[in-house]
Amino acid sequence: MTDGRDTGLAVVATTREVLAHPGLHETLLAPWEQQRIARIRIPERRRDVVAARLLLRLCVARHTGLALGASAPAQLCPGCGRAGHGRPYLPCRPGLGLSMSHADGLVAAAVGPGAVGIDVEPSTRRPGPPGVLSRLLPESDLREAAAAPDPGPALLRLWVRTEAVLKAGQDGLHVLTWSDPERAATAAVAAAAPMTVRQVRA
């Protein structure tokens, strides 16, 4: 795929799938990424962060045609102006949106023209207590989700949709929400352009 196309790419995988991918290895990560990751004390979380960053590189390479080594995102925080955190971007493709997510053995990444945000959660997870949800999510959406025959999955779909939009940093985007039964995952991607959901492959 090339970034001249008007669609984006979203991928959900398990951490294990990404780390077992023959083209992906931790040495692809930049020194600043490796330093940040080395400070993560929980091994499972560290593996998730590594896998999410590698999956994002794979998505960038597949979407743009760049080599994996040339698909490294940068990060810049608009709040403090410091590099190394904040929304990822590709310096050589300023119009390309990038996003990644990780949660308990699951990872997701997305790339596409314009704003992009992605979120993934285990399908068994349930968002926080009603008091927390009411501060973070629109009341009308909460009422609709709570009225579903099984409110738990409906609230989770609402949660990942909201997180994806927040990560994209823009309203009025296309939002796609889906379940991946094989990986027991629920995911959403918000993007300025339509997105294609693909599987990890060698």
Side-chain angles (χ1 to χ4, degrees):
M1 301 179 73
T2 65
D3 61 356
R5 296 180 65 159
D6 58 359
T7 59
L9 171 66
V11 177
V12 169
T14 65
T15 293
R16 181 176 297 180
E17 285 176 305
V18 173
L19 297 182
H21 191 284
L24 300 176
H25 43 84
E26 201 166 336
T27 57
L28 287 168
L29 300 179
W32 67 267
E33 290 176 294
Q34 295 179 17
Q35 290 169 5
R36 286 186 62 195
I37 290 167
R39 293 194 292 266
I40 300 173
R41 296 184 178 183
I42 302 171
E44 292 80 7
R45 179 173 170 78
R46 181 185 180 282
R47 286 167 49 85
D48 289 347
V49 172
V50 169
R53 291 183 171 277
L54 292 175
L55 183 60
L56 182 57
R57 280 166 167 76
L58 183 64
C59 289
V60 168
R62 288 184 177 166
H63 186 77
T64 64
L66 293 169
L68 277 171
S71 299
Q75 286 181 266
L76 182 67
C77 176
C80 70
R82 293 172 58 187
H85 63 285
R87 189 174 291 118
Y89 67 98
L90 197 63
C92 64
R93 299 285 201 281
L96 201 61
L98 310 178
S99 185
M100 60 186 156
S101 178
H102 55 83
D104 297 340
L106 296 169
V107 292
V111 55
V116 173
I118 195 165
D119 192 55
V120 66
E121 295 287 350
S123 294
T124 55
R125 178 163 290 167
R126 296 297 174 255
V132 173
L133 294 177
S134 65
R135 291 196 303 269
L136 300 175
L137 304 175
E139 186 177 339
S140 59
D141 292 344
L142 277 174
R143 279 199 307 269
E144 182 180 341
D150 185 356
L155 287 169
L156 183 64
R157 287 191 296 272
L158 176 58
W159 180 265
V160 295
R161 286 174 63 90
T162 302
E163 284 288 304
V165 171
L166 285 172
K167 288 182 178 183
Q170 186 175 317
D171 292 324
L173 301 174
H174 301 275
V175 182
L176 173 64
T177 307
W178 73 98
S179 295
D180 185 333
E182 182 181 348
R183 295 167 182 83
T186 298
V189 61
M195 301 294 288
T196 300
V197 178
R198 302 269 175 119
Q199 302 294 322
V200 173
R201 63 184 187 278

